[in-house]
Amino acid sequence: MRRYARRVTNSEVDEEMNPISHEHPDVSGGRVRAATFGAMDGLVTNISLVAGVGGAGASAHTIVLSGVAGLIAGAFSMALGEFTSVSTQNEQLDAEVDVERSEIAKNPRGELNELVEMFTEMGMTEETATTAAHEIHRDPEGAVDVHITQELGVAPSDKPSPWVAAISSFVMFGIGGVVPLIPYLLGFSSLILGLSVGAVGLLIAGGVAAYVTRHPIVRGALRQLCFGVIAAGATYLVGLAIGVPAGG
């Protein structure tokens, strides 16, 4: 029996010589955004709280009590806020999907022409855009997804999870919020030490966020430190001005 060797196409050669070597992280706004925001907010909130209460001259016990209360309240607030925000965003997207599905059912020709126009604006020739639009509209549900993605810039299948966002923000707020309390929990009573540890936390959090988003790490770290210093400075001055009542 004669055997024939399979012909290797140019595309296969190119794929073997130049394999896809990168992946994109999740940018849908769920876990990463919520975690980053939670950690930053936890750090800034509790550093500011420690600075304000400490500036008023409160005892180390009062500072810890205020910090822990702020941590718990802030973590729940962040989690509930993220859950509500993401759920509302998803519900709004679902409503737009229903509208688009109804429009395609009522006016298929107009919606098809709209898709052709969008494709040509992207750089396709009219002939290619028309062919692509007709093929897409053969599947009504697929057409809905494409229209929504093109018109709103959001894919209906890539909705972030409100539970993931809530849990991520809750955990990361708690981690960020406990950082400036570490010296007090270890038995120290120095406000400067607590704020210094918080400053280190801000630098690390800012640097990590910059690294994840592929931005200059030093700039990201210093930017977050500056934000924290501004907030902590403001609350420290307020605490200094009000002070702790005599005998309190």
Side-chain angles (χ1 to χ4, degrees), residues 7 9 36 40 43 48 55 65 67-68 109 148 167 173 197 237:
R7 181 183 177 185
T9 63
T36 302
M40 298 297 189
L43 276 163
S48 301
L65 176 61
V68 172
R109 172 58 60 180
I148 289 294
I167 293 172
F173 186 99
V197 171
L237 292 175

Side-chain angles (χ1 to χ4, degrees), residues 33-189:
R33 182 192 63 83
T36 302
F37 185 40
M40 298 297 189
D41 200 18
L43 276 163
V44 173
T45 297
N46 254 18
I47 289 173
S48 301
L49 188 59
V50 167
V53 177
S59 66
H61 179 269
T62 301
I63 292 175
V64 171
L65 176 61
S66 301
V68 172
L71 186 156
I72 295 173
F76 275 104
S77 177
M78 281 288 297
L80 294 174
E82 283 291 338
F83 186 89
T84 302
S85 174
V86 174
S87 296
T88 301
Q89 175 184 319
N90 289 346
E91 290 165 0
Q92 184 178 18
L93 179 58
D94 290 338
E96 293 302 320
V97 168
D98 291 338
V99 170
E100 194 64 40
R101 184 180 292 114
S102 175
E103 287 299 317
I104 290 176
K106 291 190 299 184
N107 185 19
R109 172 58 60 180
E111 291 296 311
L112 187 143
N113 291 337
E114 180 185 46
L115 190 57
V116 170
E117 183 178 346
M118 286 189 286
F119 284 162
T120 54
E121 290 177 354
M122 292 170 56
M124 293 185 186
T125 64
E126 186 171 352
E127 181 181 358
T128 301
T130 301
T131 300
H134 276 284
E135 290 186 4
I136 289 171
H137 271 253
R138 289 175 184 172
D139 175 15
E141 286 304 309
V144 171
D145 288 347
V146 173
H147 276 271
I148 289 294
T149 302
Q150 292 298 316
E151 293 175 25
L152 302 182
V154 181
S157 58
D158 291 335
K159 294 185 296 185
S161 167
W163 284 106
V164 170
I167 293 172
S168 297
S169 63
F170 182 91
V171 172
M172 295 309 295
F173 186 99
I175 292 174
V178 80
V179 169
L181 298 177
I182 290 176
Y184 294 99
L185 296 175
L186 293 177
F188 297 95
S189 58

